Amino acid sequence: MNSKRGNYLTTGEFAKLCKINKQTLFYYDQIGLLSPVFKNEKGYRYYSIRQFELFNVIDLLKDLGMSLHDIQQYMQNKSPESFLSLMYQEKESIVKMRQEIERKEKIIETKINLMEEASQLDFQQITVEQLPEVNLYLSRNIENISSEEFVEVISDFIDELYVSHLDTGYPIGSITKQEQILKGEYTNYSYLYIEQSTPKKGYPYFKTIAGKFLIGYHIGDEKTIHQTYNRLFLEMEQLNLALGDYVLEEYIYDTVVKNRKEQFVTKIMIHVSEI
């Protein structure tokens, strides 16, 4: 550093210290956000090392999503009180960001676990399993509604999941009551649902029955799902099992991992009891 200019840094030196390019400093000077301490008679710009902390604050606020205009507003009205207020405000923003990141991390972990489990399944196999009680967040009732009403219900349901942070990473499934199944109305679903491993307070939940479920898998779209139900009912008859209160359906493979409906896989969980 040239001793003639004392403890000051050129634009290039200060830019290197801040790990940015010189054009950024020129722009900050142009908009009055961060200007050199002085310019000499040749127009060279010089910065003080004390301005490094100011740059760090500007950079921090930018990283937190604060616009340059809002940062300018603060710079024009600087005070210890306004700085403290700003830092409290940004701390609150960081807490919310961290919570959102943690929520998304849990969603991703759930999707990883489900997909790894799916890779180990035999989709031709039918099993009887003891399933635990599970909390489900339900949509409005969708029995016997029109296509237009169904679109409205599912849109509202997804909006609720988004606004209330109820998306857990589990697939959106459907419940079909016993009476619809007995009529052969396998796609006349009663409710949509999403599993809630850690239910939030203040929301209504449906608790599934802890008990025996006959579990099978349908490959293809819903147009041929009756064939899979027939196969499952034949297995129930052979095992002396009766249809219980409801059936749960969830996609194992859908448009996220498969391009054609013929490759979709639906998990069918029929609540059963011994005859």
Side-chain angles (χ1 to χ4, degrees), residues 4 8 48 60 68 77 87 91 135 173 179-180 187 191 213 225 229 239 261:
K4 289 185 179 180
Y8 295 106
S48 166
L60 172 65
L68 290 179
N77 300 280
M87 289 298 99
K91 180 181 178 181
N135 290 288
E179 57 192 272
Q180 270 71 45
T187 58
Y191 301 94
F213 285 78
I225 203 167
Y229 270 98
L239 295 173
K261 288 184 177 181

Side-chain angles (χ1 to χ4, degrees), residues 30-165:
Q30 180 184 341
I31 64 175
L33 192 59
L34 177 60
S35 298
V37 173
F38 70 90
K39 301 176 186 177
N40 67 12
E41 63 279 1
K42 294 183 179 180
Y44 292 114
R45 304 156 184 257
Y46 293 96
Y47 293 82
S48 166
I49 189 65
R50 294 178 180 275
Q51 290 179 288
F52 181 66
E53 181 60 26
L54 177 58
F55 169 79
N56 273 344
V57 171
I58 293 171
D59 201 45
L60 172 65
L61 296 175
K62 271 182 59 186
D63 283 347
L64 293 174
M66 196 170 178
S67 69
L68 290 179
H69 177 267
D70 288 341
I71 298 173
Q72 281 177 295
Q73 293 296 109
Y74 164 73
M75 294 300 173
Q76 292 169 7
N77 300 280
K78 287 188 285 188
S79 72
E81 293 77 17
S82 60
F83 178 73
L84 189 60
S85 175
L86 181 61
M87 289 298 99
Y88 274 122
Q89 178 182 320
E90 294 307 316
K91 180 181 178 181
E92 185 178 346
S93 297
I94 289 175
V95 169
K96 290 179 180 178
M97 288 169 60
R98 185 189 304 120
Q99 290 172 342
E100 183 64 12
I101 289 171
E102 289 174 351
R103 187 181 70 83
K104 289 180 178 178
E105 182 182 14
K106 289 180 181 177
I107 289 175
I108 290 172
E109 285 178 353
T110 298
K111 291 186 179 298
I112 288 172
N113 292 336
L114 290 173
M115 198 53 57
E116 287 182 342
E117 288 173 9
S119 68
Q120 305 299 317
L121 294 173
D122 178 358
F123 297 137
Q124 301 304 320
Q125 188 177 24
I126 299 174
T127 59
V128 177
E129 299 180 24
Q130 182 77 23
L131 297 185
E133 179 183 270
V134 175
N135 290 288
L136 305 179
Y137 184 72
L138 302 184
S139 71
R140 302 199 307 269
N141 188 282
I142 56 174
E143 294 169 12
N144 303 310
I145 64 174
S146 66
S147 298
E148 292 77 12
E149 289 172 318
F150 179 77
V151 171
E152 180 184 340
V153 170
I154 194 168
S155 296
D156 289 345
F157 185 61
I158 291 173
D159 284 346
E160 289 169 10
L161 299 184
Y162 175 77
V163 172
S164 300
H165 300 301

Side-chain angles (χ1 to χ4, degrees), residues 209-223:
I209 297 170
K212 288 185 178 180
F213 285 78
L214 185 82
I215 300 176
Y217 303 90
H218 172 67
I219 302 173
D221 65 16
E222 62 180 29
K223 292 179 182 178

Side-chain angles (χ1 to χ4, degrees), residues 165-177:
H165 300 301
L166 294 170
D167 184 357
T168 55
Y170 287 97
I172 293 176
S174 60
I175 299 178
T176 311
K177 292 179 183 177

Side-chain angles (χ1 to χ4, degrees), residues 174-190 222 224-231 233 243 247 249 268 270:
S174 60
I175 299 178
T176 311
K177 292 179 183 177
Q178 181 192 71
E179 57 192 272
Q180 270 71 45
I181 297 295
L182 291 174
K183 294 176 185 176
E185 299 176 350
Y186 306 125
T187 58
N188 186 9
Y189 307 118
S190 302
E222 62 180 29
T224 58
I225 203 167
H226 64 280
Q227 297 171 4
T228 300
Y229 270 98
N230 290 338
R231 188 164 64 94
F233 289 147
L243 177 65
V247 175
E249 285 186 19
I268 301 174
I270 303 177

